[in-house]
């Protein structure tokens, strides 16, 4: 085809221009972060149209409808209204369009129904009930996730039964009938003339694979040019469909993929990095263009990104570079606790806003898990810094958190009708809306709380026995609250109510995230109980559940949407892909957190965690801050964590200041032995040397602690009791803490071990 030069090509650098104008045959564009990937993709389509290709002969596959719309808008600016005729959209939307025409080849009606997530869950629930299976064991979300994963890997119900790995996994999870549910689900969808979201891909594959001489040839002829955005995020099934359209001899092999193997971070959704790594072997005549110039970030950030990703062995080699100024070096914040980490990050945000005139919306806090947002939300609120949770709810607005809080509220105050209504039938215990409405009416008519109706009044209800069990359970919680501290009571509530078992039964990534959130709430209550340092001017030693609820009431009240759009953004690192901010804080950089403890047994998973860190740091344009804490509450215990191995992979030349003992980490698994101290900035704050492990620590009775004694505190280390006042508040000097060595501690809650 004759190359045609147009003025829009002058907007591209040399490599971008070459990628845009290489129209024939297979092309792979490896696009580093901030390298102008979207511009190359859209200009390539525009160049095809300008060069005489009919718009309807171009298939452009994206991962979001928003990306497809923006692509068409950009193309239209170059070629005019013809852009609307390009087949641009998501895999699901475009394949659904084709299936509407061709579904009869598969035995489906052309006007088939598309089941959404709720439809699928409802059908699976019906099947589980019809088989008389325990719905707590056969959790609907977990089963749905299993079926979705099977379809994405081209595993039919017949293949599933013969796959010993799958069957063994199901037996291990006490769900040996999963394959039967899968088979019944598929048959039910076929009977209903319905496809779920995964079927839109699976049935598209079947359509092309089973009809090579008519349907497949038809679409190979129509789509003369195929382009795939974010190719590193494709799953096995999506790539198989692309190959059916583009790799076989009947095709002209005009396929262009755009992506970056270093940003492949969605394996938990089924995406596989293998697709982009093996693309060259599938298309030997491939032309490869590497977009390595980064237009987003300053040199120190780009250099750090190159250093980090170089530790991954399986990758397409490239080296991103920037011609921007060197800019600020990367700052590292080390703190003693995660609570201090939240405060220091908030302090740094205020400093950056004042020093560099940053707006709130130019700042982002990125964390590995959504449950980490709590401590940063609390400190941003205290400083009156507006923020928003991107891609999720504020911590205290998440359903599972509100459910647990309502159990706590009802335990503290049984007249709380709103809390009662929320949790009286959660988890389900057979108390329906009709019964609840009758109870509410009785309460209103007699001017009493609903709890009074439940426990004191006669009413006609089939669920009376179940209601009796519910009230007995809440009364048991009240009794526990009298004898246990807030954390122990809350832990008992979470277990006894059945909430945690219900959440754990959902083994999907979303289900696990909900379990993590509940654990984060419990950790915040444990921190509240263990916070034995009395702030100046505060003489409140109340560690009850009621006091905890009071402490978070302003947090939950502040969740109301504020006017304007100038917010600091809080989000998980996975959600940050494709975004950019002038200033980025990547927090919680500790072993077992980032990288995740679930990745430590597999080098491939460690590599993906490293790619996730690579994505995080390349979101920053000018200012990058990395933070980690020496200790944080996890699962109700104070855990002491090593700094993340990823911090060691950034050289001193790109770091402004660091004050921590850094440990070299092995490629995966446990870190290696400690290295030396590297310090480029001010004197470090030394951490206490813990003399015994947390498991061996034995707290001494509070009344035995006297002035002059040497004591040990798990958080602050060795100390000497300076004095003990009449209220049993001790002043203790911890010499290993440089900044504020003297702490005033309420001995009733101190948990100190007498040394001498």
């Amino acid at each position: 085809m004759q190359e045609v030069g147009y003025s829009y090509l002058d907007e591209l650098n040399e490599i971008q221009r070459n990628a845009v104008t290489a129209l024939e045959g297979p092309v792979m564009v490896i696009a580093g972060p901030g390298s102008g990937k979207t511009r190359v993709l859209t200009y390539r389509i525009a160049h095809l149209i300008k060069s005489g290709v009919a718009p309807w002969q171009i298939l452009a596959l994206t991962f979001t409808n928003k990306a497809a719309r923006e692509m068409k808008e950009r193309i239209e600016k170059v070629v005019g209204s013809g852009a609307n005729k390009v087949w641009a959209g998501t895999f699901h939307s475009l394949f659904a369009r084709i299936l509407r025409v061709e579904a009869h080849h598969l035995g489906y009606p052309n006007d088939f129904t598309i089941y959404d997530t709720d439809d699928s869950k409802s059908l699976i629930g019906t099947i589980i009930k019809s088989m008389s299976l325990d719905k707590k064991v056969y959790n609907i979300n977990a089963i749905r996730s299993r079926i979705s994963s099977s379809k994405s890997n081209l595993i039919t119900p017949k293949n599933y039964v013969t796959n010993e790995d799958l069957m063994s996994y199901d037996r291990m999870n006490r769900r040996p009938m999963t394959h039967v549910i899968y088979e019944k689900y598929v048959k039910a969808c076929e009977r209903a003339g319905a496809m779920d979201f995964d079927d839109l891909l699976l049935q598209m594959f079947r359509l092309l694979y089973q009809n090579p001489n008519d349907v497949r040839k038809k679409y190979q002829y129509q789509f003369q040019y195929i382009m795939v955005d974010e190719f590193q995020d494709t799953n096995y099934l999506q790539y198989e469909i692309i190959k059916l359209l583009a790799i076989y001899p009947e095709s002209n092999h005009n396929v262009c993929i755009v992506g970056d193997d270093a940003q492949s971070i969605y394996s938990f959704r089924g995406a596989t990095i293998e697709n982009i790594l093996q693309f060259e072997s599938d298309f030997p005549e491939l032309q490869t263009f590497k977009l390595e110039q980064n237009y987003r970030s300053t040199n120190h950030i780009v250099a750090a990104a190159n250093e980090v990703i170089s530790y991954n062995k399986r990758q397409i080699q490239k080296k991103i570079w920037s011609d921007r100024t060197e800019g600020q070096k990367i700052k590292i914040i080390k703190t003693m606790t995660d609570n201090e980490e939240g405060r220091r990050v908030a302090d740094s945000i205020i400093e950056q806003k004042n020093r560099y005139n940053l707006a709130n919306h130019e700042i982002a806090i990125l964390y590995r898990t959504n449950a980490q947002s709590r401590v940063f939300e609390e400190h941003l609120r205290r400083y009156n810094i507006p923020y928003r949770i991107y891609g999720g709810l504020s911590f205290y607005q998440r359903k599972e958190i509100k459910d647990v809080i309502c159990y706590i509220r009802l335990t503290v105050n049984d007249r709380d009708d709103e809390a009662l209504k929320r949790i009286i039938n959660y988890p389900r215990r057979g108390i329906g809306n009709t019964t609840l409405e009758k109870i509410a009416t009785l309460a209103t008519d007699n001017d009493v709380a609903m709890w009074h109706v439940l426990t004191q009044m006669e009413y006609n209800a089939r669920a009376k026995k179940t209601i009796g069990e519910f009230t007995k359970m809440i009364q048991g919680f009240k009794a526990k609250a009298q004898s246990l501290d807030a954390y122990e009571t809350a832990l008992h509530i979470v277990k006894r109510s059945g909430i945690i078992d219900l959440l754990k039964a959902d083994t999907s990534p979303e289900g696990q995230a909900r379990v993590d959130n509940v654990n984060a709430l419990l950790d915040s209550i444990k921190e509240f109980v263990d916070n034995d340092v009395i702030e100046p001017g505060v003489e409140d030693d109340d560690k009850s559940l009621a006091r905890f609820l009071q402490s978070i009431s302003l947090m939950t009240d502040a969740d109301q949407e504020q006017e304007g759009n100038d917010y600091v953004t809080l989000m998980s690192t996975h959600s940050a892909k494709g975004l950019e901010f002038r200033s980025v804080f990547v927090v919680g950089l500790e072993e077992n957190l980032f990288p995740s403890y679930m990745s430590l047994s597999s080098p491939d998973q460690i590599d993906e965690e490293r790619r996730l860190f690579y994505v995080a740091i390349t979101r920053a344009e000018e200012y990058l801050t990395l933070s980690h804490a020496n200790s944080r509450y996890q699962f109700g215990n104070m855990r002491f964590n090593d700094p993340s191995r990823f911090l060691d992979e950034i050289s001193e030349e790109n770091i402004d200041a660091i004050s921590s003992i850094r440990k070299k980490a092995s490629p995966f698994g446990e870190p290696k032995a400690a290295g030396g101290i590297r310090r480029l900035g001010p004197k470090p704050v030394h951490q206490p040397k813990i003399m015994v492990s947390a498991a061996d620590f034995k707290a001494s009775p509070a009344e035995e602690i006297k002035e002059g004694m040497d004591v040990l505190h798990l958080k602050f280390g060795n100390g000497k009791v300076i004095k003990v006042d009449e209220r049993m508040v001790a002043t203790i000097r911890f010499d290993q803490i440089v900044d504020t060595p003297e702490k005033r501690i309420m001995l009733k809650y101190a948990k100190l071990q007498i040394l001498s």
Side-chain angles (χ1 to χ4, degrees):
M1 181 177 293
Q2 182 66 38
E3 177 180 322
V4 183
Y6 295 94
S7 59
Y8 59 87
L9 295 177
D10 296 334
E11 300 177 26
L12 306 171
N13 65 35
E14 182 180 358
I15 299 297
Q16 290 174 333
R17 190 181 306 113
N18 291 340
V20 164
T21 56
L23 302 181
E24 303 302 319
V27 170
M28 178 165 66
V29 180
I30 301 300
S35 63
K37 168 184 72 74
T38 304
R39 172 172 289 189
V40 167
L41 193 62
T42 54
Y43 278 21
R44 181 179 169 85
I45 295 173
H47 192 64
L48 281 167
I49 296 172
K50 284 284 191 179
S51 301
V53 176
W56 54 86
Q57 291 184 309
I58 302 170
L59 176 66
L61 296 164
T62 66
F63 275 83
T64 66
N65 288 309
K66 178 184 177 185
R69 284 195 302 271
E70 291 177 351
M71 185 186 299
K72 285 188 174 182
E73 289 170 2
R74 290 194 183 197
I75 297 168
E76 189 171 0
K77 290 178 181 178
V78 179
V79 303
S81 59
N84 289 327
K85 296 179 181 178
V86 174
W87 279 61
T90 65
F91 284 83
H92 292 85
S93 64
L94 294 183
F95 293 168
R97 181 176 169 186
I98 292 172
L99 287 167
R100 288 292 182 201
V101 178
E102 311 290 354
H104 59 277
H105 291 283
L106 302 168
Y108 279 86
N110 286 357
D111 58 351
F112 61 86
T113 299
I114 297 177
Y115 278 176
D116 63 15
T117 301
D118 288 340
D119 294 325
S120 296
K121 288 164 66 174
S122 176
L123 176 54
I124 291 169
T126 300
I127 294 169
I128 291 171
K129 185 176 181 180
S130 72
M131 295 174 64
S132 301
L133 299 173
D134 187 341
K135 62 184 179 183
K136 291 182 180 179
V137 175
Y138 286 87
N139 177 270
I140 291 174
N141 287 325
I143 297 296
R144 179 180 169 275
S145 177
R146 196 75 168 146
I147 291 173
S148 174
S149 175
S150 298
K151 289 182 177 181
S152 296
N153 286 283
L154 281 176
I155 299 172
T156 65
K158 187 180 293 186
N159 300 139
Y160 195 106
V161 178
T162 61
N163 189 314
E164 183 53 34
D165 288 340
L166 296 176
M167 297 294 286
S168 175
Y169 180 87
D170 291 340
R171 288 192 295 270
M172 182 178 68
N173 285 279
R174 299 188 299 121
R175 292 195 283 257
M177 301 302 287
T178 299
H179 68 286
V180 179
I181 300 172
Y182 183 15
E183 182 179 16
K184 288 179 177 291
Y185 176 79
V186 169
K187 288 181 177 178
C189 287
E190 290 173 348
R191 282 196 307 272
M195 297 185 194
D196 63 20
F197 290 144
D198 296 303
D199 281 326
L200 296 177
L201 302 181
L202 181 61
Q203 301 303 335
M204 182 67 186
F205 174 84
R206 280 188 60 209
L207 177 70
L208 298 175
Y209 186 79
Q210 294 176 359
N211 301 277
N213 297 321
D214 45 8
V215 179
R216 191 197 303 170
K217 279 188 177 180
K218 171 183 174 181
Y219 289 102
Q220 285 179 337
Y221 177 78
Q222 175 171 342
F223 300 130
Q224 294 290 306
Y225 295 86
I226 300 172
M227 264 158 285
V228 188
D229 191 16
E230 302 287 6
F231 187 73
Q232 77 281 346
D233 294 336
T234 54
N235 63 28
Y236 175 77
L237 178 53
Q238 287 165 327
Y239 187 29
E240 289 302 307
I241 295 170
I242 293 166
K243 287 194 284 188
L244 284 173
L245 288 170
I247 200 172
Y248 286 89
E250 299 88 344
S251 168
N252 53 27
H253 296 202
N254 291 334
V255 58
C256 172
I257 64 165
V258 181
D260 181 7
D261 60 298
Q263 298 185 64
S264 177
I265 59 173
Y266 295 123
S267 66
F268 65 94
R269 294 180 187 170
T272 172
I273 193 174
E274 299 299 329
N275 289 351
I276 195 167
L277 294 180
Q278 72 179 35
F279 192 76
E280 186 172 4
S281 62
D282 290 331
F283 295 90
E285 70 275 35
L286 180 69
Q287 296 182 76
T288 300
F289 302 93
K290 297 179 181 180
L291 308 183
E292 297 173 304
Q293 183 174 358
N294 180 298
Y295 293 93
R296 175 188 300 154
S297 307
T298 55
N299 272 315
H300 285 299
I301 296 170
V302 168
N306 281 326
E307 290 172 337
V308 167
I309 204 63
S310 68
Y311 282 77
N312 279 11
K313 292 184 174 61
R314 298 179 67 236
Q315 60 174 299
I316 298 171
Q317 292 299 322
K318 63 182 175 300
K319 186 170 185 179
I320 60 174
W321 59 278
S322 172
D323 61 4
R324 295 189 63 182
T325 60
E326 285 193 346
Q328 296 278 340
K329 289 188 175 183
I330 298 165
K331 293 190 181 339
I332 295 184
I333 296 174
K334 174 173 181 176
T335 62
M336 290 176 59
T337 67
D338 53 342
N339 190 56
E340 184 188 353
E341 181 186 31
R343 178 181 62 79
R344 291 277 300 277
V345 167
D347 287 339
S348 297
I349 287 174
I350 291 176
E351 180 185 358
Q352 288 187 353
K353 282 162 59 69
N354 293 333
R355 179 175 294 184
Y356 306 121
N357 197 30
L358 294 183
N360 290 321
H361 68 267
E362 295 177 307
I363 303 169
I365 300 174
L366 308 184
Y367 33 73
R368 179 62 182 82
T369 66
N370 284 316
Q372 291 172 254
S373 74
R374 176 191 62 82
V375 69
F376 300 101
E377 290 186 64
E378 291 178 1
H379 285 284
L380 291 174
R381 281 173 175 145
R382 288 173 189 168
Y383 289 11
N384 200 28
I385 300 173
Y387 70 89
R388 65 173 181 175
I389 305 290
Y390 184 96
L393 293 170
S394 170
F395 182 82
Y396 289 104
Q397 284 296 306
R398 291 166 184 154
K399 178 186 181 302
E400 59 275 12
I401 299 303
K402 295 182 89 170
D403 291 335
V404 174
I405 291 295
C406 280
Y407 267 101
I408 294 174
R409 282 168 49 185
L410 192 62
T411 299
V412 170
N413 172 23
D414 56 29
R415 293 176 298 173
D416 189 336
D417 285 353
E418 293 307 308
L420 185 147
K421 285 189 287 188
R422 183 180 182 96
I423 52 92
I424 192 172
N425 197 39
Y426 179 80
R428 291 186 183 277
R429 49 179 63 92
I431 303 172
N433 289 335
T434 302
T435 300
L436 197 57
E437 288 169 6
K438 289 179 180 178
I439 294 169
T441 301
L442 267 174
T444 302
D445 292 346
N446 291 275
D447 195 25
V448 294
M450 292 174 67
W451 180 261
H452 183 82
V453 175
L454 296 183
T455 57
Q456 304 295 328
M457 297 181 67
E458 288 295 326
Y459 56 91
N460 182 20
R462 293 180 181 177
K464 194 166 186 178
K465 178 177 180 294
T466 310
I467 289 174
E469 292 172 352
F470 172 75
T471 56
K472 184 178 179 181
M473 177 178 67
I474 299 298
Q475 287 164 341
F477 295 163
K478 288 175 173 291
K480 290 289 185 184
Q482 298 300 313
S483 59
L484 302 176
D485 65 30
Y487 169 72
E488 292 168 329
T489 306
L491 183 61
H492 177 75
I493 289 171
V494 166
K495 290 179 177 179
R496 176 69 177 83
S497 66
I499 286 181
I500 200 68
D501 289 337
L502 184 66
L503 295 177
K504 283 182 176 179
D506 180 1
T507 53
S508 67
E510 295 79 11
Q512 183 57 51
R514 285 187 278 271
V515 173
D516 290 343
N517 288 336
V518 171
N519 281 326
L521 175 64
L522 291 172
D523 289 340
S524 72
I525 300 174
K526 187 70 162 68
E527 184 177 13
F528 164 80
V529 169
D530 288 352
N531 184 16
D532 39 30
V533 181
I534 299 180
E535 298 296 332
V538 177
E539 298 185 2
D540 187 355
D541 63 347
D542 184 2
K543 300 295 181 180
S544 66
L545 274 179
R547 182 70 178 83
F548 172 76
L549 287 175
Q550 179 183 326
S551 74
I552 66 168
S553 61
L554 294 178
M555 304 293 180
T556 53
D557 289 342
D559 281 332
Q560 301 300 317
E561 189 73 18
Q562 301 181 46
E563 293 184 4
N565 58 3
D566 189 26
Y567 303 97
V568 171
T569 299
L570 278 67
M571 66 172 74
S572 71
T573 310
H574 281 102
S575 299
K577 190 163 170 290
L579 303 177
E580 56 189 50
F581 303 88
R582 284 185 68 190
S583 175
V584 169
F585 292 79
V586 186
V587 299
L589 283 163
E590 298 136 37
E591 291 291 303
N592 297 312
L593 183 56
F594 200 172
S596 164
Y597 70 93
M598 292 187 292
S599 70
L600 298 183
S601 62
S602 164
D604 286 343
Q605 290 181 7
I606 284 291
D607 281 359
E608 176 149 341
E609 291 287 301
R610 185 175 285 108
R611 293 194 294 269
L612 187 59
F613 181 54
Y614 175 86
V615 167
I617 62 181
T618 54
R619 300 309 96 197
E621 297 175 356
E622 298 177 51
Y623 312 104
L624 176 61
T625 306
L626 311 176
S627 71
H628 62 103
N630 183 57
S631 63
R632 67 176 62 240
Y633 280 92
Q634 289 177 292
F635 311 113
N637 296 311
M638 177 70 78
R639 301 290 178 93
F640 296 90
N641 301 320
D642 290 323
S644 171
R645 67 193 67 200
F646 301 148
L647 292 172
D648 261 320
E649 295 169 0
I650 302 173
S651 66
E652 291 183 1
E653 289 74 17
N654 297 307
I655 296 174
D656 177 43
I658 181 167
S659 56
S660 62
I661 298 175
R662 302 280 290 278
K663 294 186 176 183
K664 287 288 182 183
S666 57
F668 64 98
E670 292 300 317
K672 293 181 181 177
I677 297 177
R678 296 198 295 155
R679 184 164 67 84
L680 303 177
K683 185 178 180 180
V685 177
H686 295 289
Q687 299 299 320
K689 296 178 181 177
I690 305 304
M691 302 302 293
V692 296
S693 69
D696 296 332
F697 180 85
K698 291 182 176 59
S700 303
E703 61 273 12
E704 293 182 10
I705 297 173
K706 307 295 182 185
E707 184 177 315
M709 285 184 170
D710 291 323
V711 294
L712 175 66
H713 188 282
L714 271 178
K715 187 190 299 184
F716 304 125
N718 295 333
K720 181 174 283 292
V721 181
I722 306 301
K723 67 176 181 178
V724 180
D725 66 20
E726 67 279 0
R727 295 183 302 115
M728 293 295 286
V729 175
T731 301
I732 304 175
R733 181 176 183 84
F734 297 97
D735 289 331
Q736 293 162 303
I737 300 177
V738 176
D739 51 351
T740 54
E742 287 194 5
K743 305 286 183 183
R744 295 185 68 225
I745 295 179
M746 178 69 69
L747 292 179
K748 180 179 177 182
Y749 302 104
K751 294 183 176 64
L752 295 167
Q753 180 177 336
I754 297 172
L755 299 179
S756 63

